[in-house]
Amino acid sequence: MENSIQQLVDMGATLAQARAALRQYNDVMQAAERFFEGKFDHVKDEDGDVLMTPTPDLKRKPRPSTPDNDEMMATEEEDDDDDGESDYIDYDSDYELKHTAERGVSDVDPYSGIFFSKDRREEVIEVEEIPDVVDIPGHNERVKVMTQGQWMKGCPEGGEQSFLFGLYSQLHEGQCACPQECGSVVRRRKSDFFALFPDFSVYIENLRKTVRQTCQRCHSDFCLACGESISADKAKRPSAASGEDPLFHCSNLQGVILGIGLFMLESMFSDQIHGADDHNEPKARNNKRRKTEPATPHDLEDEDGVYYASVQGKKLKGGIGYAGDHKEDNTGQLEAQAAQRTKDEKMGKLLSDIRVYLPNLHREGGGQTSDYLVHPTALAHLRRRFNHICSTLLRNDSLADMSDRAVLYFELLEWLETISNHEALASMMAMPIMVVVSAKPKKPTANHASRVRERTIVYEGSSGPRELLEAIVIQAEAALKGLQGTKPPDAPPEELTEEQKRMTADTKGKSKEPIPQTADENQNLMNFCRRIIATVHAIDRSLRETKGDAFVDRLQSSLPRIMSSSSAKIAHVDAGDTDESAQKAYLDWATRVRFEYCDLAVPTTEGKEGDGDQLPHYKFYYNNEARMLANSDIPKRSLAIAKELAILTTNLPIAWDSSIFLRVDETRVDVIKALITGPEGTPYYNGCYLFDIFLGPSYNQSPPSVKYMTTNGGKFRFNPNLYADGKVCLSLLGTWSGPGWVSGKSTLLQVLISIQSMILCEEPYLNEPGWASSGGSPQSHAYSANVRRMVVKTAMLGNLKNPPEPFGDIIQTHFRLKSKSIIDQLDEWLSQDDGKPTSADGGGYGLGKAEAGGSTNGFKKDIDELKSVLKQLHETTS
């Protein structure tokens, strides 16, 4: 008993937890498995007493990633006694649901193990060891052998730890007896299954030679991995391996091949993204100093393990985004692209080679034994290793880059489709991906030799594979809209008159209209987008077949969506009772609605006879320019717009302090309206500023046309760079001196962020030429006070009383969710006001004296009216 307790303590349990586990489970490995699942996290740690009900306030103890070597042999008896069926787990099986129903518990979520919150956080103790290096017959160089710590690295889920531990223990040593019971045995060596060759194909070749063993006494063939016979009779059974390849003989082989293959893939991927030498061999251990601060991807990568920190996408730098007037240096660009292509081809090849051993009931020639009997470690390896690579690649915010790297991304899509096609793996598509956010070393204990060290890894939830795919689908659909050009949809064919039919017959064969050819780059991007959309549809069909309609419906209800005027449903958003709840509600809402398609055309009057002009008009400053390009088809422009839209759909900056919202016409994607909320710390804070944007005939060889629309009917000049007539002065647009638009490289997103951060700035007075050195001066303060008065009257109160289309819902929800914060802001602004009258042309920066907080200029009246409107808005929606 004491020895068993000590074993559990060595695995990471407290003394009280070890005793409690052994009271309920006599077998030490069964007790260890339940401990790994967290069944005894509620046990007190003081004197061995056990709480009979869980205490939710107790902090969860870090779970050990791997048991010590002392207990590895203890699993063999348990493995022999099991029939195999109990060794397999399914995160959304109904076993737990039935079990709890028998106890009278209702309302249990059968998918709780899959659709868990992305707010989940786990601490795991992971073990690092110096790998052994061995000689393998037939190979000139010595080969490293995977350690137990490397094998079990990752965030535990369910009973995965015990299955990983059990398979490693079974295959790394011991003996395999002849299944004919002739008394002959073959010794297993760790290098038989866990050798880390420089190349996956070499590993497979070596394993294929090793796994089929012939008994020296009875000359029967058997599998070294499972100990069962490999015979012609068995090969004839539908569920058994067919052909001559023994590597599909059993699920044990499947588990170890996927584990080794994905480890090699992980190492290659780490080498590529960290700029290391391009090779597959796992990194040698070194003695670099350990870091204790929160880990970055470089910090987290260590000698015998690869970690990836939480990937949040590319952070956009505020403001400038200029490449300057200088000629761009393209030296080495082609070489870099060629090098990237080589890396992608190499990684795509490795992915393809490993995919052969994924469970696949639809493989050519029919399913193999391991396709039907999936080892539980297969899902564990996919979650722990493949998911990190998948997450990083799918967070790419450049559809054009993905299209250029199609050789890698197409193979990634093949993986995801294969995973979705198998019931044992499909649940992974919905599970949040646990990513590393920090890694800290643990102090060594006397029980561990110098070869072993431990560290605590903190994992946090992030978007799952299907959710990440949806973001790419959104980009692909937007790009296809852009690639369709600005031509209106073809009208249904009208029936020809007899005269027209005769004329058509007369001209048959005499002339042919040239068929428009799509540029190669356009066609490649179009094919890539269609492939993505088709693959995701196929994945959803497979998920419905394998997991059912309820699973897919629940999954899709949580996916991001780009709304249009025809599909948009206005849902009330509750700000809650606290500042934190209001901010969370605002961010969630703004993320959902930041980009939408809508109808920006002016409705035509029914029954009104026109002059034959069928082109629509738009509620848009650049209406005439848009109509002139209504039937144009400019492939280069279409490609630029497609790439632009793909980025804008998921990359518009959203924050409590300031956000950018975009509305794009459903049929004319070159017709765009933008709304920017003023940044915190500026006299523009929380105001709503509208811009009309047109992507002209030479976009993006030349900048877009941008007009500022929040001018109080052309009366107010809010900024030296925002004129009362709507002109936007910005060097990126060619309307101001300085670094300008870089043909084919600059983007609309750069323009929007530049307006947000450079024009709507803390001291707009300094934007005027000649005043740049007057920061903090009385003139600057007076100018900002004048801007605040214009903001309250026009960008706040004016927009609320007469919401401009199509941003009415955006403006009302923005002010309602932030009403409490805005009221406090208004009180502060009133106390800072200098009492001067509002200067429409941007003046108010003279040195005349006035009493601060004065109300003779009408500012207090506007603030009181705005507060009243905010109060009514809040009461109406409550």
Side-chain angles (χ1 to χ4, degrees):
M1 180 67 174
E2 290 303 321
N3 185 45
S4 298
I5 290 175
Q6 185 58 47
Q7 288 183 8
L8 291 178
V9 170
D10 291 341
M11 293 183 195
T14 65
L15 188 62
Q17 289 171 331
R19 289 175 177 170
L22 289 170
R23 287 193 190 107
Q24 294 188 35
Y25 306 99
N26 293 328
D27 182 77
V28 66
M29 288 311 300
Q30 193 175 7
E33 179 181 338
R34 298 297 175 262
F35 165 69
F36 291 146
E37 293 173 357
K39 299 290 186 182
F40 299 95
D41 288 354
H42 60 280
V43 175
K44 283 185 177 179
D45 200 19
E46 288 83 21
D47 54 3
D49 293 336
V50 179
L51 295 174
M52 299 311 293
T53 57
T55 303
D57 293 335
L58 290 179
K59 184 177 179 182
R60 192 163 191 175
K61 184 181 184 299
R63 290 197 262 173
S65 170
T66 174
D68 290 337
N69 292 330
D70 297 340
E71 334 49 81
M72 289 195 297
M73 297 297 293
T75 57
E76 293 185 4
E77 284 186 26
E78 186 178 344
D79 291 340
D80 293 339
D81 293 340
D82 291 340
D83 193 26
E85 186 173 345
S86 62
D87 282 350
Y88 302 95
I89 54 174
D90 187 0
Y91 291 119
D92 59 328
S93 70
D94 57 0
Y95 170 77
E96 186 66 24
L97 180 62
K98 293 177 182 177
H99 184 61
T100 52
E102 293 172 0
R103 294 179 293 177
V105 179
S106 59
D107 299 328
V108 176
D109 182 2
Y111 297 130
S112 60
I114 300 174
F115 297 101
F116 56 81
S117 171
K118 285 185 283 189
D119 295 334
R120 175 179 164 193
R121 186 181 178 93
E122 291 279 353
E123 289 188 9
V124 179
I125 300 174
E126 295 190 354
V127 176
E128 298 173 347
E129 308 161 76
I130 299 177
D132 294 329
V133 181
V134 298
D135 292 312
I136 295 181
H139 297 274
N140 297 329
E141 297 183 2
R142 304 191 77 197
V143 179
K144 292 180 182 177
V145 179
M146 177 180 277
T147 67
Q148 183 176 317
Q150 289 174 322
W151 172 258
M152 301 190 70
K153 180 184 75 67
C155 184
E157 188 67 49
E160 287 178 352
Q161 292 296 83
S162 58
F163 295 117
L164 287 166
F165 177 59
L167 184 60
Y168 188 87
S169 301
Q170 179 182 354
L171 298 184
H172 95 285
E173 61 185 6
Q175 295 179 335
C176 179
C178 174
Q180 304 301 325
E181 298 182 354
C182 67
S184 177
V185 295
V186 176
R187 179 175 174 270
R188 290 191 184 104
R189 297 170 300 178
K190 188 186 295 188
S191 58
D192 291 337
F193 298 96
F194 299 101
L196 297 174
F197 290 95
D199 191 82
F200 181 71
S201 61
V202 178
Y203 169 79
I204 289 296
E205 181 184 355
N206 185 76
L207 186 62
R208 186 175 284 117
K209 294 176 181 177
T210 303
V211 71
R212 185 192 292 268
Q213 295 286 326
T214 301
C215 179
Q216 298 299 317
R217 291 188 181 181
C218 64
H219 304 292
S220 62
D221 291 337
F222 62 94
C223 173
L224 186 63
C226 66
E228 294 185 6
S229 297
I230 301 178
S231 63
D233 292 338
K234 181 170 183 177
K236 292 177 183 177
R237 300 206 313 260
S239 62
S242 58
E244 298 299 322
D245 194 346
L247 298 185
F248 296 100
H249 175 262
C250 65
S251 62
N252 284 355
L253 284 169
Q254 176 194 77
V256 74
I257 290 174
L258 287 178
I260 295 293
L262 288 172
F263 176 83
M264 291 181 176
L265 181 72
E266 198 176 33
S267 299
M268 176 188 291
F269 187 67
S270 175
D271 287 349
Q272 290 187 6
I273 64 175
H274 293 160
D277 291 337
D278 195 15
H279 60 82
N280 253 353
E281 186 176 357
K283 300 181 179 201
R285 187 184 180 100
N286 59 49
N287 294 320
K288 65 182 180 183
R289 183 174 62 89
R290 308 280 302 172
K291 298 184 183 242
T292 57
E293 60 268 24
T296 67
H298 283 284
D299 299 335
L300 298 175
E301 180 197 350
D302 212 36
E303 308 76 36
D304 47 11
V306 181
Y307 295 91
Y308 303 100
S310 178
V311 183
Q312 303 298 334
K314 297 178 181 177
K315 293 284 185 182
L316 293 166
K317 295 183 179 179
I320 302 176
Y322 308 139
D325 291 326
H326 307 290
K327 186 176 180 181
E328 187 176 7
D329 182 8
N330 292 323
T331 305
Q333 184 176 359
L334 294 178
E335 289 84 351
Q337 291 175 346
Q340 183 63 59
R341 191 177 302 112
T342 300
K343 292 178 180 179
D344 289 342
E345 290 173 353
K346 187 173 183 179
M347 189 161 180
K349 173 67 166 55
L350 180 56
L351 274 167
S352 178
D353 291 345
I354 301 172
R355 180 164 55 86
V356 173
Y357 301 95
L358 272 180
N360 184 4
L361 299 176
H362 306 286
R363 74 172 68 248
E364 187 176 351
Q368 304 275 8
T369 302
S370 56
D371 295 327
Y372 290 93
L373 192 62
V374 180
H375 202 279
T377 58
L379 183 58
H381 291 309
L382 289 171
R383 278 188 58 257
R384 297 173 184 221
R385 301 185 187 277
F386 173 74
N387 258 355
H388 294 296
I389 299 170
C390 171
S391 173
T392 304
L393 292 175
L394 293 184
R395 289 179 191 276
N396 189 343
D397 59 6
S398 172
L399 197 68
D401 179 68
M402 287 187 270
S403 176
D404 293 340
R405 304 174 64 188
V407 65
L408 175 58
Y409 277 90
F410 281 165
E411 182 56 39
L412 179 65
L413 294 175
E414 290 283 356
W415 269 72
L416 294 174
E417 194 167 355
T418 303
I419 289 169
S420 302
N421 268 308
H422 205 293
E423 186 176 3
L425 307 179
S427 59
M428 190 190 89
M429 296 297 296
M431 296 177 70
I433 296 173
M434 301 299 292
V435 296
V436 177
V437 294
S438 70
K440 294 183 179 180
K442 286 192 67 179
K443 293 181 179 179
T445 62
N447 294 334
H448 294 100
S450 59
R451 290 173 57 89
V452 178
R453 58 180 178 177
E454 297 178 347
R455 57 179 171 180
T456 301
I457 311 295
V458 178
Y459 291 88
E460 287 184 355
S462 66
S463 300
R466 182 59 185 85
E467 183 177 345
L468 293 171
L469 268 179
E470 189 65 22
I472 297 180
V473 169
I474 289 172
Q475 294 186 51
E477 290 174 340
L480 287 176
K481 271 185 172 288
L483 289 168
Q484 289 168 1
T486 56
K487 285 189 176 181
D490 294 333
E494 297 181 0
E495 187 174 352
L496 300 177
T497 65
E498 291 300 322
E499 179 67 19
Q500 289 172 327
K501 290 178 181 177
R502 187 166 55 254
M503 291 177 63
T504 303
D506 292 341
T507 57
K508 270 187 182 177
K510 295 182 181 179
S511 62
K512 271 190 179 180
E513 236 179 89
I515 301 174
Q517 296 293 325
T518 307
D520 290 342
E521 192 176 356
N522 294 40
Q523 190 63 52
N524 290 339
L525 182 59
M526 188 178 294
N527 293 341
F528 183 74
C529 293
R530 288 172 175 167
R531 170 69 182 275
I532 287 174
I533 294 171
T535 299
V536 171
H537 288 165
I539 286 173
D540 286 346
R541 285 195 301 270
S542 299
L543 289 175
R544 287 194 183 277
E545 294 172 2
T546 57
K547 310 306 292 185
D549 291 342
F551 177 92
V552 176
D553 292 343
R554 179 162 175 180
L555 170 60
Q556 292 188 341
S557 67
S558 63
L559 297 180
R561 289 285 184 265
I562 294 296
M563 307 300 293
S564 64
S565 57
S566 58
S567 63
K569 294 181 180 178
I570 302 173
H572 176 71
V573 182
D574 186 9
D577 300 324
T578 65
D579 293 341
E580 290 76 11
S581 64
Q583 291 188 24
K584 185 178 186 305
Y586 187 92
L587 292 176
D588 291 344
W589 160 78
T591 301
R592 290 197 307 271
V593 302
R594 59 183 167 181
F595 183 100
E596 287 185 5
Y597 297 105
C598 62
D599 185 3
L600 296 177
V602 177
T604 55
T605 305
E606 291 186 19
K608 183 178 179 180
E609 294 296 331
D611 57 0
D613 184 3
Q614 300 297 317
L615 297 178
H617 291 265
Y618 298 94
K619 311 168 217 178
F620 187 61
Y621 181 83
Y622 299 101
N623 174 58
N624 292 335
E625 290 86 342
R627 285 165 53 82
M628 289 176 62
L629 284 178
N631 294 316
S632 67
D633 186 11
I634 309 172
K636 197 168 186 178
R637 172 179 182 257
S638 298
L639 180 63
I641 293 176
K643 293 178 179 179
E644 190 80 67
L645 288 177
I647 294 174
L648 291 170
T649 52
T650 55
N651 286 277
L652 290 171
I654 293 298
W656 173 263
D657 300 337
S658 178
S659 300
I660 300 178
F661 301 89
L662 231 58
R663 294 296 177 263
V664 179
D665 187 76
E666 290 176 331
T667 59
R668 287 292 304 271
V669 292
D670 53 350
V671 175
I672 301 172
K673 285 181 174 283
L675 183 152
I676 302 177
T677 61
E680 185 176 12
T682 72
Y684 304 97
Y685 186 35
N686 280 325
C688 294
Y689 309 92
L690 279 72
F691 300 84
D692 280 4
I693 302 167
F694 181 61
L695 308 180
S698 58
Y699 188 81
N700 65 351
Q701 300 305 304
S702 60
S705 300
V706 180
K707 201 73 171 179
Y708 177 54
M709 306 303 293
T710 310
T711 62
N712 192 23
K715 298 175 183 176
F716 284 173
R717 182 180 181 182
F718 277 77
N719 187 287
N721 297 69
L722 298 175
Y723 284 71
D725 64 358
K727 180 180 179 181
V728 179
C729 287
L730 192 67
S731 62
L732 197 56
L733 298 176
T735 53
W736 193 261
S737 61
W741 185 267
V742 179
S743 176
K745 295 293 180 68
S746 297
T747 66
L748 175 58
L749 186 58
Q750 289 175 322
V751 172
L752 293 170
I753 294 175
S754 295
I755 294 173
Q756 180 190 41
S757 60
M758 296 182 65
I759 294 181
L760 304 179
C761 58
E762 183 178 357
E763 286 191 84
Y765 180 79
L766 307 184
N767 284 4
E768 188 69 39
W771 299 345
S773 60
S774 302
S777 66
Q779 293 91 335
S780 179
H781 289 308
Y783 190 97
S784 294
N786 188 70
V787 169
R788 288 193 289 266
R789 291 190 289 270
M790 291 190 291
V791 167
V792 170
K793 178 177 284 292
T794 303
M796 290 184 172
L797 185 58
N799 280 335
L800 263 177
K801 293 170 69 174
N802 298 292
E805 295 184 51
F807 292 108
D809 295 330
I810 295 291
I811 290 172
Q812 289 190 355
T813 306
H814 163 74
F815 282 105
R816 180 174 59 80
L817 293 178
K818 303 190 74 172
S819 58
K820 182 180 177 182
S821 171
I822 291 174
I823 288 173
D824 293 339
Q825 169 191 335
L826 293 175
D827 291 337
E828 182 181 355
W829 279 11
L830 182 60
S831 68
Q832 295 174 350
D833 190 61
D834 55 17
K836 295 179 181 179
T838 301
S839 175
D841 65 353
Y845 41 82
L847 295 175
K849 295 183 179 179
E851 183 181 350
S855 60
T856 58
N857 58 6
F859 190 39
K860 186 176 188 304
K861 179 183 176 181
D862 289 341
I863 284 180
D864 290 341
E865 185 178 0
L866 179 54
K867 288 182 178 180
S868 176
V869 173
L870 289 173
K871 184 178 179 181
Q872 292 175 8
L873 184 64
H874 181 75
E875 291 175 349
T876 302
T877 55
S878 297

